Amino acid sequence: MKIECVVPSHSKVGEGAVWDDRAQCLWWVDIPAGLIHRYDPVTRENITQDFAEPVGCIAVRDAGGLVVAARSGFWLFDPETGKRHHLADPEAQLPQNRFNDGATDLQGRFWAGTMKDGGVPEPQGRFYCLDTDRTVHPWKDGIYTTNGLAFSPDGRQMYFSDSNPKVRRIWRCPYDPQTGTPGEPQEFFDTRSVAGRPDGGTVDAEGCYWMAGVSGWQLYRLSPEGEVLQIIDMPVEKPTKPMFGGRELDTLFVTSIGIDLAEGSDQPDAGGLFAITGLGIKGLPQPRYAG
């Protein structure tokens, strides 16, 4: 196994990694800087665009371009032309909130969650589904830091987490692919048993859940039963989002945070994008937003 910093970007909050299997590139963001990155692992070129406001997460659209969950809600964005189209701001009444983590279900619905941005943390985050007809449906509220959204290989289980130190748990719930409706959440994994708190997540081809252990210097591979199968020590304190990519979907890309680090810690690549090879594990093609 090899861990390499492929983009030493020193991002404030690198996040939102999603693999584009058609363009063979990795899209990712720097949340507070409002930057959207496009990394080509063949040429190693990383192209950056300024979205002009904090960007929590993105997904590739089936019709081309991206769907973006930003501070002011959901947008369609064409990276080629820079054209933006605002869809909805479901939390216009909460100016302190912004979108954070997201994922697309197998039917092309885009799920994303919000959180309070700055100040004393409060449980005012909520999950939303941007349906394929571009309507927005709220779901579970009372979350400090919405995170960890991912779906099982058959699309019938949805994962999510709350990263706040008071909570630091991952849940799983049954998911109806036809209606896009989650069932009752059940606790999947309590991260107080490991060093890192739950940040972004993804699911591999074997149905195992990968969690970035923010503030714990580690990644975790969890079985569908919630057992720790593998721990990977990272060269940075705050890994944030794992995502499988590459032509064979066997490279694990990991974003990271470059600010508010432990005093005196040696992590010159904090905030960079990492690539892990030699795992012997493959990921799943990422669904595209169908709206």
Side-chain angles (χ1 to χ4, degrees):
M1 185 183 71
K2 178 183 178 183
I3 303 175
E4 180 185 6
C5 181
V6 292
V7 182
S9 59
H10 302 290
S11 299
K12 293 179 179 179
V13 183
E15 261 285 10
V18 61
W19 179 253
D20 183 340
D21 59 347
R22 293 181 192 168
Q24 288 292 298
C25 69
L26 185 84
W27 296 95
W28 59 292
V29 305
D30 184 344
I31 293 179
L35 302 179
I36 297 177
H37 299 282
R38 181 187 187 275
Y39 174 68
D40 184 329
V42 175
T43 64
R44 297 205 164 205
E45 182 181 30
N46 190 71
I47 299 172
T48 302
Q49 291 176 276
D50 188 349
F51 196 73
E53 67 175 270
V55 174
C57 55
I58 55 181
V60 180
R61 287 184 69 209
D62 190 53
L66 305 173
V67 59
V68 178
R71 177 180 289 281
S72 61
F74 292 108
W75 294 78
L76 300 182
F77 176 57
D78 185 346
E80 297 295 327
T81 64
K83 184 178 179 181
R84 311 189 327 167
H85 175 67
H86 192 234
L87 297 177
D89 186 359
E91 294 194 346
Q93 79 283 4
L94 295 172
Q96 287 183 303
N97 274 20
R98 65 160 173 81
F99 272 94
N100 193 46
D101 186 61
T104 307
D105 72 9
L106 269 63
Q107 287 67 40
R109 306 178 189 93
F110 182 48
W111 279 84
T114 60
M115 61 174 286
K116 183 183 177 185
D117 190 17
V120 178
E122 295 179 32
Q124 62 187 45
R126 190 168 197 168
F127 290 100
Y128 294 88
C129 174
L130 177 64
D131 214 327
T132 57
D133 62 0
R134 302 184 183 178
T135 57
V136 179
H137 308 282
W139 183 54
K140 186 175 176 60
D141 59 5
I143 308 292
Y144 283 93
T145 307
T146 55
N147 236 321
L149 278 165
F151 292 87
S152 61
D154 65 2
R156 295 186 176 276
Q157 298 286 328
M158 185 173 83
Y159 296 87
F160 68 94
S161 65
D162 189 336
S163 306
N164 186 275
K166 296 179 181 179
V167 184
R168 54 181 306 173
R169 285 174 170 82
I170 305 171
W171 291 269
R172 183 172 63 185
C173 52
Y175 187 78
D176 185 337
Q178 299 305 314
T179 64
T181 306
E184 186 65 26
Q186 300 292 326
E187 184 173 302
F188 172 66
F189 187 71
D190 184 344
T191 71
R192 288 176 296 182
S193 63
V194 294
R197 293 180 287 111
D199 208 308
T202 193
V203 173
D204 64 29
E206 298 174 21
C208 295
Y209 182 89
W210 288 79
M211 168 198 131
V214 69
S215 300
W217 300 79
Q218 292 177 331
L219 303 178
Y220 307 95
R221 186 187 190 218
L222 307 173
S223 75
E225 293 72 41
E227 300 172 354
V228 179
L229 300 179
Q230 188 172 1
I231 297 176
I232 297 176
D233 293 321
M234 294 292 293
V236 288
E237 174 190 352
K238 296 181 176 180
T240 55
K241 172 76 174 183
M243 174 57 57
F244 284 94
R247 193 161 298 278
E248 301 299 324
L249 294 176
D250 57 355
T251 297
L252 186 62
F253 294 99
V254 184
T255 53
S256 66
I257 291 174
I259 58 173
D260 301 327
L261 306 174
E263 187 175 352
S265 59
D266 181 20
Q267 42 184 320
D269 292 326
L273 173 68
F274 294 82
I276 304 176
T277 53
L279 284 170
I281 298 168
K282 293 188 178 184
L284 296 165
Q286 292 302 297
R288 294 167 178 268
Y289 174 58

